[in-house]
Amino acid sequence: MNSDISLPSDHGNRFYQGVAATFFANALQAVNFLGDRFLRKSHHSLSAIEDLYRHSMDSAFSVTEAFLVTGAPHASAYYPRDFAWFYPDVLDPETIMDAQDAVRRARLLDKSIRLLLEAVRADVVTTTIVPAGRGRYLGVNYFSQPSDTLLGILAGLQQMISADQRAPYYLATSQCAHAGRLLLAEYGGDLKRAILQLASELEPFDDDGTRYLLCDARGSRSAATDTRAERRRFVTNACVYTTFVWSVQLGIVDESELKQLLGRGLAQYKKDLLHLFGKDGYIRHSLDGPMGSPVSSVALDFVGVHRGFWDMTDAGERALFAATADLIIAEPRFRIPSTFHFLVSADNPRNKIIHKIAAPAYQGRSSWPTFNVEFADRMLDYDEVSGGDRYRACAQGILKDIRTATEVHGGYQELISEQGLKYRTWAYKGAVAHSWFPRFLSVWRRAYGTPLLQWND
């Protein structure tokens, strides 16, 4: 296989938004779900973790794929946020099987991020981009405006640019790093425009005489669990803060420009969010709705994204993280019995009609293995900064149970049911999240000090 991953920018692509685009995107996605429901082939009977991983990587990064996909029934569309939430270690060299695997991954990441940057240039910053054939793409927001689309694009760029900074060395990852730097130079102005627009959309929110800035003060915004349809959520606002920080780190925006729009520096902006959502001593999932018991007011998605909101350098921040984590760990309703599989929430959230039919527990009483992996990683962040071993055993337990579930169910699951079984609803026959698998391996190495799988290239 040719290892050259450089691709010319395809300026023939066209992006569409609006009522008509949304209608056609919904129709295409309905066909995708129906096709998956009735045509998905049963997974072959592998059980060894190494065989499952090889099969997953061959599937996720196949040369026949047009872009990076999850393996889930909605995988025929781009979800920009996935590059922050679910794919942050696609190019981790310790998860790459061989040079050919590196080439496939680098090509797909480059193609995917290039297309998303073209969408930003076309002023299409949406939760979902649905291919409609022959270089035509439909931008559509499912349920709410995005809070983490730009975050995902920046995460993909970061991963590309830093691809040559980790051993072992692959030619394809070095080429990918060069391609990422070229993309940043070419599309940096478009990203800056979109990021400053996001900053200008923040809304004032008054609480106890103090004015804060939220991205969702009056209307819900999306994040990885967007269909909860709530306003004033911690995770959406943490995503926006992280977008601003990463844009400054990448040299896209100067912090002074953001400060002028926000009326405060980024450090104060973060401090405000911690004070607002953490005033009860733990991070409340959402300010929308009445106060409940502490365990009913928190959700697992507070862990955020890799190298995101939580940096644990401040003692008060660590205390808030620990208090929230301890609530989740101690509450039986957050856990699949006899496991370290944690559910998104202790109570079912509000559901829209489509979720009652197709995926009733998707955002609440189900376990997302990827959120559990990030929970484990934040625990390790806490221990590393605090210099202790408060959470290492729990982090290892999470990863061990995910490995067991992967072997039992025949692949890395997108979701696991409240009973610890494959997540099976009418629309989901049991999706396998192929391209989320490398992140699991990366965090396993960190938790245990040795890799779960080793490759001889």
Side-chain angles (χ1 to χ4, degrees):
M1 181 182 291
N2 187 341
S3 63
D4 183 7
I5 61 126
S6 61
L7 293 169
S9 181
D10 184 0
H11 296 293
N13 290 331
R14 296 290 183 270
F15 300 87
Y16 303 91
Q17 272 186 297
V19 175
T22 297
F23 174 81
F24 284 110
N26 286 334
L28 286 171
Q29 287 294 75
V31 170
N32 295 335
F33 270 86
L34 290 171
D36 181 86
R37 173 65 180 80
F38 294 110
L39 301 177
R40 179 187 284 267
K41 296 178 181 178
S42 59
H43 198 277
H44 53 84
S45 56
L46 296 174
S47 59
I49 193 74
E50 182 172 348
D51 293 337
L52 289 167
Y53 188 74
R54 285 189 178 277
H55 171 75
S56 292
M57 296 305 95
D58 288 343
S59 206
F61 308 115
S62 167
V63 293
T64 63
E65 294 290 355
F67 53 91
L68 195 58
V69 300
T70 62
H74 50 272
S76 49
Y78 286 79
Y79 292 83
R81 67 186 180 210
D82 286 358
F83 294 93
W85 282 97
F86 307 135
Y87 311 150
D89 280 328
V90 167
L91 297 184
D92 178 356
E94 292 192 359
T95 74
I96 294 174
M97 298 183 295
D98 51 39
Q100 186 180 59
D101 187 27
V103 171
R104 294 182 309 182
R105 296 189 192 198
R107 277 181 168 170
L108 275 177
L109 186 61
D110 180 50
K111 289 166 68 174
S112 300
I113 298 302
R114 188 179 299 272
L115 184 84
L116 298 180
L117 287 169
E118 289 182 23
V120 172
R121 175 165 288 178
D123 202 25
V124 177
V125 180
T126 58
T127 66
T128 312
I129 296 177
V130 180
R134 293 180 299 178
R136 301 298 185 261
Y137 299 90
L138 309 175
V140 58
N141 292 320
Y142 288 117
F143 313 110
S144 57
Q145 296 287 323
S147 73
D148 50 4
T149 288
L150 291 170
L151 178 69
I153 295 170
L154 294 180
L157 268 178
Q158 282 183 330
Q159 188 172 176
M160 291 179 69
I161 290 168
S162 63
D164 58 355
Q165 298 173 13
R166 300 165 74 177
Y169 174 86
Y170 289 99
L171 175 60
T173 55
S174 177
Q175 292 176 330
C176 194
H178 178 65
R181 287 188 280 270
L182 292 178
L183 287 175
L184 180 59
E186 181 178 357
Y187 291 95
D190 303 292
L191 284 169
K192 178 176 181 177
R193 171 178 50 80
I195 290 163
L196 293 179
Q197 175 64 30
L198 176 63
S200 71
E201 292 172 354
L202 299 190
E203 304 165 338
F205 176 73
D206 294 324
D207 183 77
D208 291 336
T210 303
R211 174 162 288 197
Y212 301 91
L213 285 176
L214 300 180
C215 70
D216 54 355
R218 288 190 290 269
S220 59
R221 302 280 296 234
S222 80
T225 49
D226 60 344
T227 50
R228 293 177 69 100
E230 294 158 315
R231 300 174 300 155
R232 304 167 189 166
R233 293 174 61 202
F234 173 76
V235 64
T236 53
N237 288 281
C239 284
V240 170
Y241 164 80
T242 308
T243 300
F244 295 155
V245 170
W246 287 0
S247 68
V248 171
Q249 292 174 351
L250 286 168
I252 296 169
V253 177
D254 191 275
E255 185 171 355
S256 63
E257 297 174 281
L258 290 169
K259 184 175 182 179
Q260 185 174 1
L261 283 171
L262 302 177
R264 65 204 72 188
L266 291 180
Q268 184 60 49
Y269 176 43
K270 177 177 180 177
K271 192 176 295 184
D272 290 346
L273 293 177
L274 287 171
H275 183 266
L276 179 63
F277 287 94
K279 61 184 178 180
D280 297 309
Y282 54 86
I283 294 296
R284 189 177 176 194
H285 164 71
S286 172
L287 306 178
D288 192 15
M291 279 292 295
S293 67
V295 295
S296 296
S297 300
V298 301
L300 187 60
D301 59 10
F302 90 100
V303 295
V305 299
H306 179 45
R307 295 184 297 107
F309 184 89
W310 299 99
D311 60 28
M312 306 292 179
T313 55
D314 179 78
E317 180 178 323
R318 291 196 301 276
L320 281 173
F321 173 84
T324 313
D326 291 347
L327 282 173
I328 292 171
I329 292 169
E331 172 54 51
R333 287 178 295 163
F334 262 106
R335 199 180 303 197
I336 295 172
S338 303
T339 73
F340 281 92
H341 283 302
F342 294 97
L343 307 176
V344 173
S345 64
D347 302 298
N348 257 330
R350 65 186 74 177
N351 283 318
K352 295 192 174 183
I353 292 177
I354 187 173
H355 305 116
K356 293 179 180 177
I357 297 171
Y362 190 69
Q363 307 298 343
R365 302 297 298 163
S366 59
S367 172
W368 289 41
T370 188
F371 282 177
N372 278 265
V373 168
E374 292 309 321
F375 194 23
D377 201 44
R378 293 302 82 69
M379 290 177 179
L380 298 174
D381 288 341
Y382 179 96
D383 282 356
E384 182 178 289
V385 175
S386 63
D389 267 332
R390 178 171 177 173
Y391 290 116
R392 180 168 297 274
C394 186
Q396 290 175 338
I398 288 171
L399 300 170
K400 180 176 178 291
D401 282 343
I402 291 175
R403 173 186 176 170
T404 299
T406 301
E407 292 177 326
V408 168
H409 298 313
Y412 192 92
Q413 297 296 299
E414 183 183 50
L415 297 163
I416 299 174
S417 77
E418 189 177 356
Q419 292 75 38
L421 306 174
K422 273 188 178 183
Y423 186 79
R424 296 178 66 92
T425 66
W426 187 89
Y428 274 68
K429 293 179 67 176
V432 178
H434 297 310
S435 42
W436 302 5
F437 212 155
R439 178 66 178 146
F440 165 71
L441 290 191
S442 297
V443 180
W444 179 286
R445 167 61 186 263
R446 186 182 184 195
Y448 283 93
T450 56
L452 175 61
L453 301 174
Q454 293 183 325
W455 315 107
N456 296 314
D457 189 357

